[in-house]
Amino acid sequence: MVSPADRNPKCRKLAFVVAYVYAVYDHLVNFISNTEYLILETSILNFATSIPDFRQKIRIHDLWLLTLGQGEKIPMKKRRWQLLQVESAIACNLRCVMCPWPEYAKRAKNRGIMSPDIWNAIRPHLPQVRSVDFTGGGEPLLQPNLLDWIREAHAAGCETGILTNGLLLTESKAAKLIEAGVDWVCVSMDGATEELYSQIRIGSNFDRVAENVGNLSRLRVGKIPKLMINFVLMTINFHQVEEIVRLASRLGVDQVNYKQCEVIRGERGKGYGLFAGQETREIRKLKKSLDKARRLAKKMGIQTTAFSFTPEQQPVCDQDPRSSLFIGYDGVVAPCINLALGGSTTFLGREASLPTVHYGRLPADDLLELWDTETSRHYRERFQNRIQAHDARIIDGLISTSASDRLKALKQAKEAMPTAPKGCDVCHYLYDI
């Protein structure tokens, strides 16, 4: 088989450039921390895909495979948005001890359920969306139209998924979700035993949720939908970081996501987090225990994700407002859920305030027009400038002659970034927590 690099001289040249950069990078990783390793990898990939001839033609993943000389590249239609987070409901059937959203849900109109007219305003734009997450601050399975909406998004070529507490995920509902074309389902389970789980997920039923997760795993064909568990790390449950892996294995789960308890509103969620402004002996012990649990998961064939225990400012958070939108149950369009629902919070142990940032509201406003508002452009442009400034310093460091210069470039890259937009500067997500 002839690869694209063999057919296209420009493609071959890029492959050599990326291969060289990765070779330098491979030597450098021996001198840097785990977090810097990930930052550097992201920066290199951003740099490679910023080359105009290739940005519109190939995926980042395909670029990496091309560098290794592996096979044909599949052309991909560029879509305007990587993600729409559609809050199908802010209403919830549980009262979890660390949840920051109950007060907002109490004040919600329409019982906290998104109305069809808001979805109707989203539907025409689905062909320009890569992924739709139907979760916000509540329980998506309370949305009576959820299956139809997933089906419509799937038909438009979108990846679809939900984060659920799992109590309503009956065998019948699981089968219908699979039929509708859902790509991933993540279930929140913050305890691996009934006794602990019931202390955290007030109003739920551990055995029923476990049965529901097992049924979904059994009903699916192959590994679709991908099945995950979210485990929020807190003092009361950290001792079960390994036990949740064993439970996931018994239930046929593909991945365990270890999340920090990082979203705080007023007193809701306050005091539960295990992260801190700097590394301490206690945090080193937590990291060691979590690493052990993740090694166990790897042995058992289960993927894991985890966030940092100490702040490491990123050029942009995972939400990435440059290519995503949050749409609240009431039609409010915002950069993310944290800025859609601002208020008093605690940031790395100190009191702070998150502003409420809205681009507009559906269905009164058009989604494309909201994407082009001054506020929307501000968030997109500021993060783009941060990434460019950060990556330019990283690339300068890569071509330096000494390892110390490269390490210095990593530090300078963070200092070179413009300040984050208001609100993002006191959001744990931007600091990889």
Side-chain angles (χ1 to χ4, degrees):
M1 180 181 294
V2 179
S3 73
D6 293 327
R7 292 196 301 266
N8 188 327
K10 289 183 179 180
C11 199
R12 183 168 61 250
K13 181 178 180 181
L14 178 60
F16 282 129
V17 169
V18 177
Y20 173 75
V21 171
Y22 263 100
V24 175
Y25 153 69
D26 192 50
H27 288 290
L28 181 58
V29 297
N30 292 320
F31 300 96
I32 63 179
S33 70
N34 228 15
T35 302
E36 289 168 331
Y37 181 106
L38 295 174
I39 293 171
L40 186 55
E41 181 175 42
T42 301
S43 300
I44 292 170
L45 290 172
N46 285 340
F47 160 71
T49 53
S50 70
I51 300 175
D53 285 345
F54 298 93
R55 186 174 54 207
Q56 305 294 333
K57 298 178 183 178
I58 52 180
R59 305 181 188 185
I60 291 177
H61 178 65
D62 289 337
L63 176 61
W64 173 236
L65 292 181
L66 178 150
T67 307
L68 299 177
Q70 297 180 10
E72 296 283 345
K73 302 287 114 25
I74 302 171
M76 179 187 65
K77 179 180 178 181
K78 183 175 175 63
R79 297 193 171 198
R80 179 175 285 107
W81 295 291
Q82 298 295 308
L83 171 69
L84 289 189
Q85 185 177 356
V86 178
E87 185 179 54
S88 51
I90 196 173
C92 190
N93 53 336
L94 302 187
R95 304 179 305 281
C96 302
V97 296
M98 68 294 192
C99 180
W101 309 125
E103 295 306 315
Y104 296 88
K106 285 179 184 177
R107 302 193 298 265
K109 300 177 181 178
N110 195 37
R111 299 176 294 109
I113 306 295
M114 178 178 280
S115 60
D117 60 331
I118 296 171
W119 175 254
N120 292 340
I122 298 170
R123 186 191 295 114
H125 302 283
L126 291 175
Q128 287 296 321
V129 180
R130 181 80 60 82
S131 180
V132 182
D133 178 355
F134 286 95
T135 317
E139 172 51 55
L141 292 179
L142 291 173
Q143 170 55 249
N145 300 295
L146 181 65
L147 293 171
D148 290 335
W149 295 358
I150 289 175
R151 190 175 292 109
E152 290 169 358
H154 176 75
C158 306
E159 178 188 76
T160 60
I162 61 169
L163 169 62
T164 171
N165 59 49
L167 189 61
L168 303 177
L169 188 61
T170 62
E171 185 172 355
S172 172
K173 182 71 74 174
K176 290 176 181 177
L177 280 168
I178 294 169
E179 183 274 330
V182 72
D183 291 290
W184 59 267
V185 174
C186 189
V187 181
S188 295
M189 296 188 74
D190 312 301
T193 59
E194 190 279 333
E195 181 181 8
L196 179 59
Y197 176 89
S198 62
Q199 294 176 36
I200 299 170
R201 297 265 157 188
I202 310 299
S204 190
N205 182 299
F206 175 80
D207 291 333
R208 187 184 306 167
V209 171
E211 180 182 359
N212 290 345
V213 173
N215 284 336
L216 178 57
S217 177
R218 175 177 53 81
L219 290 170
R220 61 182 176 163
V221 178
K223 293 294 185 179
I224 299 176
K226 184 173 185 177
L227 185 52
M228 297 175 279
I229 284 178
N230 264 13
F231 187 90
V232 177
L233 301 172
M234 296 175 282
T235 304
I236 56 176
N237 69 352
F238 191 87
H239 63 284
Q240 290 194 346
V241 289
E242 290 187 43
E243 191 56 38
I244 196 68
V245 170
R246 296 185 180 95
L247 176 64
S249 179
R250 293 196 298 272
L251 298 179
V253 170
D254 305 308
Q255 180 170 307
V256 174
N257 304 316
Y258 293 105
K259 285 182 58 62
Q260 298 287 0
C261 189
E262 76 293 270
V263 181
I264 302 163
R265 289 295 184 279
E267 296 301 311
R268 300 291 308 188
K270 191 174 182 179
Y272 287 99
L274 297 179
F275 54 90
Q278 58 186 7
E279 190 167 278
T280 62
R281 177 183 296 182
E282 180 60 27
I283 282 180
R284 285 193 291 272
K285 288 172 59 179
L286 294 174
K287 288 171 65 176
K288 185 177 180 180
S289 296
L290 187 57
D291 287 343
K292 183 180 177 184
R294 298 185 73 182
R295 288 195 298 272
L296 173 65
K298 186 175 182 180
K299 289 179 181 178
M300 302 181 79
I302 295 174
Q303 298 174 318
T304 58
T305 65
F307 291 87
S308 179
F309 284 89
T310 52
E312 189 68 55
Q313 186 175 179
Q314 309 297 303
V316 64
C317 66
D318 286 343
Q319 183 78 18
D320 197 347
R322 296 177 306 153
S323 58
S324 70
L325 288 170
F326 172 82
I327 303 171
Y329 84 96
D330 54 357
V332 159
V333 180
C336 65
I337 187 172
N338 268 351
L339 293 176
L341 301 171
S344 62
T345 187
T346 305
F347 175 67
L348 294 175
R350 63 181 174 86
E351 299 301 310
S353 179
L354 275 166
T356 296
V357 180
H358 294 167
Y359 298 157
R361 189 187 297 268
L362 302 178
D365 302 313
D366 179 76
L367 195 61
L368 270 179
E369 292 178 357
L370 297 182
W371 184 242
D372 199 39
T373 59
E374 182 179 351
T375 305
S376 175
R377 291 198 307 271
H378 168 70
Y379 276 83
R380 301 206 310 273
E381 291 168 2
R382 178 61 61 89
F383 280 118
Q384 184 61 29
N385 290 340
R386 282 172 61 86
I387 289 171
Q388 288 175 346
H390 178 274
D391 291 358
R393 291 298 177 94
I394 292 291
I395 298 304
D396 287 345
L398 283 171
I399 61 176
S400 298
T401 56
S402 70
S404 60
D405 286 343
R406 295 174 194 139
L407 291 171
K408 185 178 179 181
L410 289 170
K411 182 176 183 293
Q412 290 177 339
K414 298 167 190 173
E415 297 171 347
M417 295 186 294
T419 57
K422 188 176 180 181
C424 300
D425 56 341
V426 290
C427 178
H428 292 120
Y429 288 150
L430 189 63
Y431 294 80
D432 195 37
I433 288 176

